C-alpha cells in the first residue's frame, strides 16, 4: 500500500504541470530550502535563514509589524467604505449615517477603520521610540530612519485627511483649525514669516492649495477624499516597500 502511494506521488511530482509550478524538491536540504524561499512569490520576501535573536519579541515588540498590520486593516476596511461613501457635501454626512445604521456590517467596518487609524498613529510613535531607544537609527540605518520619518508624516496626514470625510461639525472645524495652521507656514503661507514678502495671498498660498478655496467646502472635501483614498496610501505603500527593503539590506540591529 505504502509502495503504491509512493509510486503515485512520484508520478504526480514528475508531471509537467507539477514541475512547472514547483521548481524544487522537498525542502530537506539547505539547497532545497533556499530554492523554496527564492522561487515562491510570498516566501521570497523572507530571508532564507533567520537569526534566533531577530525573533526576540522583547527587542522590537513587533511594533513596526503591528503598524503595517494596521495599514492592511485600514486598506481592506477603507475599500469597503468606499462602496458606500460619496465625497459630496450634500450626502457625505448621510452616507456615514447609512453606514452606521443601514448597511450590513457598515458600522463594524467604520469602527474597525477608525480604531485601526488611531492604533496606527499610536503604534508608529511607539515603533519610532523603540528604534530611537535601541540606537537603531545609527549608521548604516540612517537612510531608513529618514524613510521612517516620511512614513510617520504620511501616517499623520492620512489620519488628518480622513478626519474631514464624515463631514460633521467635528470634521469641519478640525480641518478649519488645521488648515489655518498651514496658513502660518513660513514662506508658503500668507500669515507665516516671509509669506507676504514672497507674494502670498489668501487665494494663492498653501492653505488655498490644500482646500481648493478659501473655506472648507466641496473642493476641500474632494481633495481630501482623493488624497486619503488614493494619493497618500499609494505613496505610503511605496515608502513601506523601500523601508522593508532597507531593513533587509542594512541588517537587523538587534541581538543575533
Ligand atoms: C507606517 C509606518 C512604519 C512601518 C509600517 C514600519 C515597519 C517596520 C518594520 C516591520 C520593521 C522591522 C522591525 C520592527 O518590527 O520593529 C521596521 C524597522 C525599522 N524602522 Fe520602521 N516602520 C514605520 C515607521 C518608522 C518610523 C516613523 C521610523 C523612524 C523615524 C522607522 C525606522 C525604522 C528603522 C531605523 C528600522 C530598523 C530597526 C532595526 O534594525 O532595529 N520606521 N519598521
Amino acid at each position: 500500500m505504502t509502495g503504491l502511494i509512493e509510486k503515485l506521488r512520484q508520478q504526480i511530482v514528475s508531471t509537467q504541470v507539477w514541475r512547472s509550478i514547483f521548481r524544487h524538491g522537498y525542502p530537506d536540504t539547505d539547497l532545497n530550502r533556499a530554492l523554496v524561499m527564492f522561487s515562491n512569490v510570498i516566501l521570497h520576501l523572507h530571508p532564507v535563514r533567520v537569526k534566533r535573536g531577530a525573533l526576540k519579541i522583547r527587542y522590537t515588540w513587533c511594533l513596526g509589524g503591528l503598524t503595517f498590520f494596521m495599514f492592511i486593516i485600514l486598506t481592506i476596511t477603507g475599500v469597503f467604505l468606499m462602496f458606500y461613501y460619496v465625497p459630496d457635501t450634500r450626502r457625505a454626512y448621510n452616507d456615514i449615517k447609512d453606514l452606521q445604521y443601514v448597511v450590513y456590517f457598515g458600522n463594524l467596518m467604520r469602527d474597525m477603520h477608525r480604531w485601526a487609524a488611531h492604533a496606527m498613529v499610536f503604534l508608529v510613535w511607539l515603533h519610532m521610540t523603540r528604534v530611537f531607544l535601541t540606537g537603531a537609527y545609527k549608521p548604516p540605518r540612517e537612510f531608513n530612519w529618514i524613510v521612517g520619518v516620511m512614513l510617520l508624516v504620511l501616517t499623520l496626514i492620512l489620519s488628518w485627511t480622513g478626519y474631514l470625510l464624515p463631514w460633521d461639525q467635528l470634521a469641519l472645524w478640525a480641518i478649519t483649525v488645521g488648515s489655518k495652521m498651514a496658513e502660518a507656514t513660513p514662506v508658503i503661507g500668507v500669515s507665516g514669516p516671509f509669506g507676504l514678502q514672497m507674494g502670498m495671498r489668501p487665494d494663492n498660498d498653501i492653505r488655498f492649495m490644500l482646500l481648493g478655496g478659501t473655506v472648507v467646502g466641496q473642493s476641500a472635501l474632494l481633495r481630501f477624499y482623493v488624497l486619503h483614498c488614493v494619493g497618500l496610501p499609494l505613496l505610503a505603500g511605496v515608502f513601506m516597500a523601500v523601508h522593508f527593503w532597507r531593513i533587509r539590506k542594512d541588517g537587523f540591529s538587534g541581538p543575533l
Side-chain angles (χ1 to χ4, degrees):
M1 187 64 180
T2 331
L4 196 67
I5 294 175
E6 178 56 23
K7 211 169 153 203
L8 195 66
R9 191 190 71 83
Q10 269 176 11
Q11 268 175 2
I12 293 172
V13 299
S14 58
T15 57
Q16 201 188 346
V17 175
W18 182 275
R19 288 165 73 91
S20 70
I21 301 171
F22 303 102
R23 287 153 194 260
H24 45 76
Y26 189 76
D28 48 0
T29 62
D30 265 4
L31 177 66
N32 271 338
R33 271 193 284 273
L35 285 173
V36 168
M37 298 306 265
F38 287 136
S39 60
N40 182 295
V41 67
I42 296 172
L43 293 180
H44 90 279
L45 293 172
H46 294 271
V48 174
R49 286 191 196 80
V50 178
K51 300 252 166 63
R52 190 169 287 275
L55 301 174
K56 208 167 168 237
I57 194 75
R58 277 184 298 156
Y59 184 79
T60 64
W61 299 100
C62 197
L63 289 166
L66 287 171
T67 310
F68 182 59
F69 181 54
M70 291 305 132
F71 182 72
I72 300 290
I73 292 184
L74 285 162
T75 309
I76 295 169
T77 54
V79 168
F80 179 87
L81 296 176
M82 282 175 78
F83 284 118
Y84 296 93
Y85 176 87
V86 179
D88 178 337
T89 51
R90 290 163 300 181
R91 56 175 291 188
Y93 180 77
N94 290 324
D95 284 351
I96 297 284
K97 288 291 155 218
D98 277 353
L99 270 163
Q100 269 181 288
Y101 299 112
V102 183
V103 178
Y104 272 117
F105 299 112
N107 204 29
L108 179 70
M109 287 296 135
R110 189 183 173 210
D111 281 356
M112 279 177 71
H113 197 75
R114 193 139 191 148
W115 280 104
H118 293 321
M120 185 169 169
V121 171
F122 185 62
L123 287 165
V124 75
W125 281 114
L126 286 184
H127 169 60
M128 189 168 125
T129 310
R130 188 291 287 176
V131 170
F132 180 73
L133 292 178
T134 55
Y137 56 84
K138 292 177 199 165
R141 294 176 197 84
E142 69 275 45
F143 174 71
N144 216 14
W145 173 267
I146 302 300
V147 176
V149 172
M150 298 307 291
L151 281 170
L152 173 75
V153 173
L154 282 171
T155 307
L156 297 179
I157 307 181
L158 263 167
S159 197
W160 190 62
T161 47
Y163 208 178
L164 182 65
L165 305 186
W167 203 247
D168 52 13
Q169 287 292 312
L170 183 67
L172 193 80
W173 296 113
I175 303 310
T176 302
V177 171
S179 62
K180 277 278 173 194
M181 286 162 77
E183 192 185 275
T185 311
V187 184
I188 50 174
V190 64
S191 355
F194 308 110
L196 286 174
Q197 288 81 347
M198 294 304 288
M200 288 299 135
R201 295 187 313 266
D203 62 353
N204 74 355
D205 74 339
I206 182 72
R207 179 170 191 263
F208 187 84
M209 196 183 104
L210 208 57
L211 300 181
T214 49
V215 288
V216 181
Q218 177 58 63
S219 312
L221 183 61
L222 190 58
R223 276 179 194 212
F224 275 51
Y225 176 78
V226 176
L227 281 175
H228 185 76
C229 302
V230 187
L232 296 169
L234 278 180
L235 208 57
V238 171
F239 272 94
M240 277 182 214
V242 175
H243 198 57
F244 298 155
W245 166 67
R246 279 325 308 170
I247 295 167
R248 283 285 298 281
K249 292 292 166 193
D250 297 338
F252 180 55
S253 74
L256 295 177

